[in-house]
């Protein structure tokens, strides 16, 4: 019995003695201590120094480790593994084989999945489209129609907190300590008041562009976790949800964002560039550039540029440049420029420029310029310049310049310059062919001036040129324009005259006053090719018979230019016979003192 025991112990001892050196050698290369002092030496020399001290050999692929690279390393009596990790910054793994230490690329990061089901705690009904996400790792997923979810997690991330969020339910957070499958998670319904900020942040994804370019899952997740946001340095994406932050991209504010086709982010605090489009839930600072369009739910402070469309659902402070259309829901402080349409629903403080249409929805000041149509829905203080039509529905303080029509729906304090000018209450100047106003304390200069509340009148009168004349006097008593026509009634002294002029009325007394007028009258006899003309400077005393009728009579001074035309027989010659004439200038010109007298009928409402 004792001999047998002795033999067994001897065999065990021999086996241990044979195995121990091998095990000690196999496990000992990485644990051997070495010292290295290298100042900008090649990696190959440093490795040789380590192998000489440890009495082993290195084996590695020169394609992954460049032996010529210069390194600096100073360590004293540390294990080989620790020295190598410091030398290569933990980029490689090591395998011992005999007296060789093999350097290999680091093993790929392991991942695992956590899965389970989400239920309503009260009804036990599966919850679909619930968000399951990690705030630390910025990974997320959505439950399916049966409430099932599966989320990918990095192996080294445990323990891990997962949050479950769903609109109409309270947030639930669980801690995961190990890989788990088929978890059962119950969440409670919770009545939540709509946060104005959450509503605002979801506006961009609710636009037709958001619905078209963002998947239903991305939009659902954005609504579920609308209160969680994080700031990171950068992100890159191919399309929304396919990038460095995955489906959590809509919750990240980036300093720099690069989107190949399109991106969906929480916001930008630096610069964002996309080949296709950018959609941001919050504010954008400094620069946002897209080949097609930008949609921002918050404010933009800086520059926003898009090849087709820029759409801001809050305010702009800076510059917005759009190839086709630019739209801002609230205030604009700066410049809005587009190829076709520029629109601001709020007030403008700056310049709005468009190729066709510029539209303002609130009180504004600055300049509005378009190729066709400018529209301001409220008061406007500044200048409108349009190729076709300018409209201010509120009060205008400034000016309107148009190739077609200017319209001031209320007061116009400033000027209007167009073919047709329209104002309700004019306190400035209208210059055009046709000027229209309800009332005026200003000046209308045009061929036709219609002031509804005015002293405009139609006059029938005789004078030394023709026995029958009709004049349309349009404007106010301070200034009015005149269109007139006159003719003889027959006989041997035939003549037809027509012309235009300006005038002013003075009423120092209640019923008695006077006016002064300047007219240019063309004289037609037998040919339209040559038309002699008369300049008339005339004045007259006036007497009001009643509110509508007024008698007038007075002298005139006439200058006649025959333009070399000889009056034919049967037509009236000038100066008229019996009137003393005064030669002035050349032989074609003469002058005389004449007269006028007649009756005026006032048709205006402002009497």
């Amino acid at each position: 019995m004792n001999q047998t025991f002795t033999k067994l112990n001897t065999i065990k001892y021999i086996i241990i003695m044979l195995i121990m050196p091998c095990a000690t050698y196999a496990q000992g290369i990485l644990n051997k201590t070495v010292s290295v002092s290298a100042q900008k030496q090649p990696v190959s020399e440093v490795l040789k120094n380590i192998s000489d001290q440890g009495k082993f050999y290195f084996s590695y692929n020169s394609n992954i480790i460049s032996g010529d690279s210069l390194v600096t390393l100073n360590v004293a009596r540390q294990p080989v593994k620790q020295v190598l990790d410091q030398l290569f910054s933990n980029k490689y793994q090591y395998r011992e084989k005999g007296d060789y230490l093999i350097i290999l690329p680091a093993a790929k990061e392991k991942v695992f999945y956590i899965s389970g089901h989400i239920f309503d705690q009260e009804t036990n009904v599966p919850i679909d489209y619930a968000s399951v996400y990690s705030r630390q790792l910025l990974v997320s997923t959505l439950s399916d129609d049966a409430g099932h979810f599966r989320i990918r997690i990095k192996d080294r991330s445990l323990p891990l907190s997962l949050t479950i969020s769903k609109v109409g339910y309270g947030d639930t957070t669980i801690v995961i300590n190990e890989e788990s499958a088929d978890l059962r998670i119950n969440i409670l319904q919770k009545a939540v008041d709509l946060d104005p900020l959450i509503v605002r942040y979801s506006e961009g994804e609710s636009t037709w562009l958001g619905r078209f370019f963002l998947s239903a899952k991305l939009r659902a997740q954005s609504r579920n976790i609308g209160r969680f946001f994080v700031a990171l340095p950068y992100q890159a994406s191919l399309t929304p949800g396919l990038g460095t932050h995955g489906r959590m991209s809509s919750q990240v504010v980036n300093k720099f964002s690069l989107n190949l086709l399109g991106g969906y982010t929480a916001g930008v605090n630096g610069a964002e560039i996309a080949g296709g489009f950018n959609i941001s839930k919050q504010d954008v600072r400094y620069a946002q550039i897209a080949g097609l369009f930008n949609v921002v739910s918050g404010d933009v402070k800086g520059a926003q540029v898009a090849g087709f469309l820029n759409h801001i659902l809050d305010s702009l402070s800076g510059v917005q440049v759009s190839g086709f259309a630019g739209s801002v829901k609230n205030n604009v402080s700066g410049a809005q420029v587009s190829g076709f349409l520029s629109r601001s629903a709020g007030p403008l403080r700056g310049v709005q420029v468009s190729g066709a249409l510029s539209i303002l929805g609130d009180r504004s000041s600055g300049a509005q310029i378009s190729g066709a149509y400018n529209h301001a829905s409220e008061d406007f203080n500044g200048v409108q310049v349009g190729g076709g039509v300018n409209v201010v529905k509120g009060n205008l303080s400034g000016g309107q310049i148009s190739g077609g029509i200017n319209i001031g729906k209320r007061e116009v304090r400033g000027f209007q310059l167009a073919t047709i000018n329209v104002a309700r209450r004019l306190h400035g100047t209208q210059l055009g062919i046709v000027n229209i106003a309800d009332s005026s304390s200003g000046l209308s200069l045009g061929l036709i001036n219609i002031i509804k509340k005015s002293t405009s009148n139609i006059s029938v009168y005789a004078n030394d040129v023709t026995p029958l004349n009709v004049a349309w006097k349009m404007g106010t008593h301070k200034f009015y324009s005149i269109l007139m026509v006159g003719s003889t009634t027959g006989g041997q002294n035939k003549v037809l005259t027509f012309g235009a002029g300006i005038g002013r009325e003075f009423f120092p007394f209640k019923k008695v006053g006077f006016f002064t007028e300047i007219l240019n009258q063309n004289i037609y006899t037998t040919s339209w090719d040559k038309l002699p003309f008369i300049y008339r400077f005339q004045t007259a005393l006036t007497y009001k018979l009643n509110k509508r009728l007024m008698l007038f009579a007075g002298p005139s001074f006439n200058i006649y230019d025959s333009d070399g035309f000889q009056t034919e027989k049967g037509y009236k010659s000038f100066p008229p016979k019996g009137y003393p004439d005064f030669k002035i200038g050349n032989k074609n010109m003469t002058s005389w003192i004449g007269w006028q007298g007649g009756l005026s009928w006032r048709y205006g409402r402002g009497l």
Side-chain angles (χ1 to χ4, degrees):
M1 183 73 173
N2 290 335
Q3 291 179 348
T4 304
F5 181 80
T6 302
K7 290 179 179 179
L8 289 174
N9 285 341
T10 302
I11 293 170
K12 289 180 180 179
Y13 178 78
I14 293 171
I15 292 172
I16 290 171
M17 293 301 292
L18 290 173
I19 294 175
M20 185 176 292
C22 297
T24 302
Y25 190 84
Q27 299 295 327
I29 293 178
L30 291 172
N31 294 322
K32 290 182 178 182
T33 57
V34 295
S35 298
V36 178
S37 178
Q39 297 292 327
K40 295 185 177 179
Q41 292 184 6
V43 169
S44 59
E45 292 185 14
V46 175
L47 293 178
K48 186 177 186 305
N49 183 11
I50 295 172
S51 65
D52 288 343
Q53 293 183 56
K55 300 186 183 321
F56 63 92
Y57 303 96
F58 279 108
S59 176
Y60 57 88
N61 189 339
S62 61
N63 290 328
I64 63 173
I65 298 177
S66 176
D68 297 330
S69 298
L70 300 180
V71 296
T72 297
L73 181 66
N74 291 285
V75 295
R77 298 191 61 77
Q78 293 186 9
V80 170
K81 184 177 187 308
Q82 188 172 340
V83 174
L84 293 176
D85 285 342
Q86 188 173 346
L87 177 65
F88 295 122
S89 301
N90 297 303
K91 293 181 180 178
Y92 302 101
Q93 62 177 328
Y94 314 102
R95 182 179 300 169
E96 298 177 20
K97 188 171 184 181
D99 56 355
Y100 283 86
L101 184 61
I102 304 170
I103 303 176
L104 299 170
K108 292 184 178 180
E109 190 174 43
K110 294 182 180 179
V111 297
F112 65 92
Y113 292 88
I114 296 173
S115 61
H117 288 79
I118 302 171
F119 295 92
D120 186 304
Q121 184 166 322
E122 295 181 353
T123 64
N124 204 36
V125 174
I127 304 299
D128 62 351
Y129 279 79
S131 295
V132 181
Y133 65 99
S134 165
R135 295 172 181 261
Q136 303 99 309
L137 300 180
L138 289 181
V139 294
S140 67
T141 189
L142 285 170
S143 61
D144 59 20
D145 293 340
H148 180 264
F149 71 89
R150 185 169 181 262
I151 186 168
R152 183 178 183 269
I153 302 297
K154 295 179 181 178
D155 186 30
R156 64 184 181 186
S157 304
L158 297 176
L160 175 72
S161 294
L162 285 181
T163 302
I164 297 87
S165 296
K166 169 76 174 179
V167 174
Y169 289 81
D171 289 353
T172 301
T173 300
I174 60 174
V175 177
I176 304 297
N177 292 307
E178 60 183 10
E179 183 176 353
S180 303
D182 203 24
L183 293 171
R184 180 183 176 93
I185 303 172
N186 296 319
I187 60 177
L188 279 169
Q189 294 188 27
K190 181 180 179 181
V192 180
D193 294 333
L194 289 178
D195 188 331
L197 282 177
I198 303 302
V199 174
R200 190 187 79 167
Y201 294 156
S202 65
E203 287 181 346
E205 65 193 32
S206 299
T207 63
W208 70 270
L209 288 171
R211 294 193 302 271
F212 185 82
F213 286 96
L214 300 178
S215 68
K217 290 185 177 181
L218 279 176
R219 287 184 277 124
Q221 176 147 290
S222 176
R223 290 190 295 271
N224 288 341
I225 54 179
R227 289 181 175 83
F228 169 67
F229 295 100
V230 64
L232 291 175
Y234 68 90
Q235 80 107 23
S237 70
L238 177 62
T239 62
L242 185 59
T244 52
H245 303 322
R247 290 180 179 173
M248 294 294 285
S249 63
S250 62
Q251 312 309 123
V252 181
V253 177
N254 304 283
K255 289 186 179 296
F256 179 75
S257 177
L258 179 63
N259 307 307
L260 186 59
L261 297 178
Y264 181 35
T265 65
V268 180
N269 192 22
E272 184 172 43
I273 302 172
F277 62 89
N278 296 307
I279 299 177
S280 298
K281 291 174 62 176
Q282 295 189 30
D283 302 332
V284 169
R285 299 288 186 273
Y286 307 122
Q288 187 180 54
I289 302 170
L292 289 177
F293 68 85
N294 295 304
V295 175
V296 178
S297 295
D299 299 328
V300 172
K301 294 184 178 179
Q304 187 183 48
V305 182
F308 182 75
L309 170 69
N310 284 307
H311 188 35
I312 301 173
L313 293 163
D314 208 307
S315 300
L316 167 68
S317 296
V319 179
Q320 184 189 65
V321 181
S322 313
F324 180 77
S327 176
V328 179
K329 189 173 182 179
N330 290 324
N331 306 342
V332 173
S333 297
Q336 191 180 24
V337 182
S338 72
F340 181 79
L341 168 66
S342 292
R343 180 181 179 273
S344 172
L348 166 76
R349 301 289 182 270
V351 180
Q352 189 181 53
V353 182
S354 71
L357 307 176
S358 292
I359 298 174
L360 295 173
D362 209 335
R363 294 183 178 182
S364 301
S365 62
Q368 197 178 28
I369 303 167
S370 75
Y373 180 75
N374 290 312
H375 183 95
S377 296
E378 298 291 341
D379 296 348
F380 185 77
N381 184 6
V383 178
Q384 284 184 321
V385 180
V389 180
N390 292 316
V391 177
V392 175
K393 298 189 75 173
N395 299 324
L396 169 65
S397 297
Q400 290 178 312
I401 302 172
S402 169
I405 302 173
N406 290 320
I407 298 174
K409 292 281 189 175
R410 296 180 184 172
E411 290 186 357
V412 174
R413 297 181 180 273
F415 68 90
Q416 291 180 311
L417 174 61
T419 304
I420 300 174
N421 297 302
V422 180
R424 185 173 182 181
R425 294 184 296 274
L426 178 64
H427 301 283
T429 301
Q430 291 177 318
L431 180 61
I433 296 175
V434 178
N435 299 307
I436 301 172
D438 277 6
S439 62
S440 174
S441 62
L443 182 64
S444 296
L445 297 173
L447 184 63
I448 297 176
N449 301 298
I450 301 175
I451 313 297
K452 296 179 181 178
K453 296 179 181 179
S454 70
T455 55
S456 298
N457 63 75
I458 295 175
S459 299
V460 179
Y461 62 96
N463 62 19
D464 52 289
V465 176
T466 51
L468 178 60
N469 298 275
V470 178
W472 184 14
K473 300 181 180 182
M474 301 164 286
T476 66
H477 69 277
K478 292 182 180 180
F479 181 87
Y480 56 87
S481 61
I482 306 168
L483 293 177
M484 62 81 55
V485 62
S487 176
T488 57
T489 57
Q492 295 298 313
N493 294 319
K494 293 183 292 184
V495 67
L496 174 66
T497 179
F498 55 92
I502 57 175
R504 179 184 174 104
E505 289 184 334
F506 301 88
F507 276 96
F509 306 105
K510 185 175 181 179
K511 287 195 172 185
V512 179
F514 65 95
F515 64 73
T516 58
E517 296 174 346
I518 301 174
L519 290 94
N520 180 5
Q521 296 180 217
N522 290 291
I523 307 297
Y524 173 78
T525 55
T526 58
S527 173
W528 292 102
D529 294 333
K530 287 189 176 182
L531 295 174
F533 58 87
I534 298 173
Y535 290 114
R536 288 180 65 88
F537 303 90
Q538 58 192 32
T539 185
L541 286 173
T542 59
Y543 180 78
K544 292 182 180 178
L545 297 175
N546 54 40
K547 290 179 66 175
R548 297 289 179 183
L549 296 176
M550 181 178 68
L551 289 172
F552 65 89
S556 68
F557 179 74
N558 304 274
I559 299 175
Y560 174 74
D561 187 346
S562 66
D563 196 23
F565 179 79
Q566 298 296 322
T567 304
E568 295 186 10
K569 186 177 180 180
Y571 290 89
K572 188 172 184 176
S573 60
F574 296 97
K577 293 180 180 180
Y579 292 87
D581 62 312
F582 310 93
K583 293 293 183 180
I584 57 175
N586 56 52
K587 63 179 181 178
N588 294 327
M589 298 184 68
T590 186
S591 64
W592 71 93
I593 296 175
W595 59 273
Q596 61 170 332
L599 180 67
S600 293
W601 173 65
R602 297 191 183 280
Y603 61 85
R605 297 201 303 266
L607 300 177

